[in-house]
Amino acid sequence: MRITCFIRYQIDPFQREAFRRYAENWGRIIPRCGGDLLGYFLPHEGTNDEAWGLIAFDSLAAYEAYRARLKTDEEARANFALAQQQRFILREQRTFTEGVEGTLRPGGWHDRGHL
């Protein structure tokens, strides 16, 4: 059963574009390091300081292997450093989820092997 790492970020709303660049960088890094990037999401309407990232893995063991690869990936390390230097991420929370069969949209992530 696949799991999805749901990352909730509290961001500085005045540095939204800095977070966008950070997220765009993960678009290259995450697949290279073994994660199945489902997407990053910025606030659009309503709450202006929450952003999300969703990354799928075949198991928690696959997630742990991915985390180990991130630590040795030069671009990943630079992206983490960027976030620390510019301080646009105020808080980060990770939750691991699984899709509920029968609720997943046909032709969506599930049918493409993402959940």
Side-chain angles (χ1 to χ4, degrees):
M1 174 177 304
R2 290 182 51 93
I3 60 166
T4 299
C5 179
F6 182 96
I7 309 168
R8 179 191 172 272
Y9 298 94
Q10 180 183 10
I11 64 171
D12 178 343
F14 299 103
Q15 295 194 63
R16 185 178 185 276
E17 291 309 309
F19 185 85
R20 178 189 300 276
R21 287 189 299 278
Y22 172 81
E24 289 170 347
N25 291 340
W26 288 126
R28 293 183 305 279
I29 300 165
I30 289 170
R32 180 174 66 236
C33 290
D36 183 4
L37 180 61
L38 303 180
Y40 268 83
F41 303 87
L42 285 167
H44 177 71
E45 184 86 18
T47 303
N48 67 354
D49 69 343
E50 282 188 27
W52 303 272
L54 284 83
I55 311 165
F57 300 92
D58 288 330
S59 65
L60 282 175
Y63 170 75
E64 292 300 331
Y66 156 82
R67 293 287 295 176
R69 284 189 291 275
L70 282 181
K71 291 178 183 177
T72 62
D73 186 276
E74 193 172 311
E75 190 178 6
R77 291 172 36 180
N79 210 33
F80 283 128
L82 172 76
Q84 288 179 335
Q85 291 164 0
Q86 294 188 11
R87 298 179 183 251
F88 49 81
I89 297 173
L90 307 176
R91 185 173 185 206
E92 183 176 324
Q93 298 172 290
R94 283 184 173 75
T95 301
F96 293 88
T97 64
E98 61 183 71
V100 176
E101 206 56 51
T103 66
L104 303 171
R105 197 178 62 173
W109 298 114
H110 180 262
D111 287 349
R112 290 186 229 144
H114 288 93
L115 290 178

